[in-house]
Amino acid sequence: LDSSPDFYLRDKLQRIVNNSCRVSRMIKAIREFSSQTEGEHTILRIEDVISGFEEVISPQLKTHRVILEKEIERDLPPIKGNKIHLEEVLVNLASNSIHALEKKEKKVIRLRVYKKDPKTLRIEFSDNGYGIEKKMLSDIFLDFVTTKASTEGQGLGLARVRKIITQHSGRIWAESEGKDKGATFFIELPLAS
């Protein structure tokens, strides 16, 4: 493995270029989304979505000392969707988890992906953060609803997540045992036929 300063700089510059391109595509996806266009749906592998998500979120995980544990079933069938929109869903859930873990000593996010049945892919995204009150569980995907302090969020993130998943003919819901018990978000997406 080359450890020269030139190699190091080339590697860092390439990462910057790759991340800039990815952020540019995410901004384009957000603009498409905000103008209520569906964006292009193609046949894609969920592993590619997860890889893109990790590239975007890894600096935040490192900064906040959050461990990402993954359990991805092997040889998953493809889905039909928009890679950038689905990455945005995972980034949004991770950002919320990072916030929920702020005061925890051990900060863990778990991502589990598997084939639920012959037609459905399931994603489980959980953390050991401050949890969600039971009475809030049915409202958190509505516009302008947030579990954060009024100065920390506008309550649009999970509403956007729900809209993206709906555009993918999927469904999303959350479960939590309550305060300080963490939360799990479940996403189900149809497999490409």
Side-chain angles (χ1 to χ4, degrees):
L1 194 64
D2 189 349
S3 61
S4 69
D6 285 348
F7 176 79
Y8 176 80
L9 287 174
R10 273 196 309 273
D11 180 58
K12 291 296 179 196
L13 284 171
Q14 189 58 53
R15 285 176 189 243
I16 290 168
V17 168
N18 291 347
N19 286 336
S20 295
C21 290
R22 187 172 310 286
V23 169
S24 176
R25 289 195 307 269
M26 285 185 80
I27 289 169
K28 181 180 177 214
I30 291 167
R31 283 186 177 146
E32 283 177 1
F33 188 79
S34 64
S35 65
Q36 296 305 310
T37 61
E38 287 191 24
E40 183 184 344
H41 285 212
T42 58
I43 301 296
L44 54 90
R45 296 171 62 242
I46 193 66
E47 294 89 344
D48 294 335
V49 173
I50 292 166
S51 176
F53 150 71
E54 283 187 277
E55 210 166 307
V56 171
I57 205 69
S58 60
Q60 281 188 55
L61 295 175
K62 193 173 182 181
T63 299
H64 295 277
R65 296 190 195 107
V66 176
I67 298 164
L68 176 64
E69 295 179 351
K70 295 180 299 181
E71 185 183 327
I72 316 295
E73 189 175 299
R74 295 175 132 203
D75 302 319
L76 287 166
I79 58 174
K80 188 169 186 181
N82 181 297
K83 181 175 180 285
I84 303 301
H85 284 175
L86 292 173
E87 284 178 13
E88 182 186 346
V89 165
L90 295 179
V91 167
N92 193 305
L93 293 178
S95 297
N96 285 349
S97 287
I98 289 167
H99 185 272
L101 291 163
E102 200 173 318
K103 294 183 176 153
K104 292 285 183 178
E105 195 169 313
K106 186 175 183 187
K107 304 173 183 186
V108 180
I109 293 173
R110 289 185 183 85
L111 176 62
R112 184 173 176 230
V113 184
Y114 59 97
K115 190 166 126 179
K116 179 194 160 209
D117 60 46
K119 295 183 176 184
T120 313
L121 178 83
R122 180 178 275 184
I123 299 169
E124 295 178 7
F125 198 101
S126 60
D127 65 56
N128 64 323
Y130 56 62
I132 304 167
E133 290 181 53
K134 296 245 186 225
K135 64 181 181 182
M136 291 289 295
L137 284 172
S138 59
D139 295 338
I140 57 172
F141 296 102
L142 300 175
D143 290 339
F144 308 112
V145 172
T146 181
T147 59
K148 299 173 186 169
S150 61
T151 58
E152 295 175 321
Q154 297 84 31
L156 292 172
L158 288 177
R160 185 190 313 274
V161 162
R162 178 183 50 83
K163 287 173 186 163
I164 291 172
I165 296 303
T166 300
Q167 286 179 343
H168 283 76
S169 302
R171 65 189 198 110
I172 183 168
W173 71 96
E175 294 179 7
S176 176
E177 293 301 311
K179 188 169 167 39
D180 292 321
K181 302 277 182 146
T184 302
F185 287 80
F186 296 88
I187 298 170
E188 290 184 350
L189 297 167
L191 293 167
S193 46

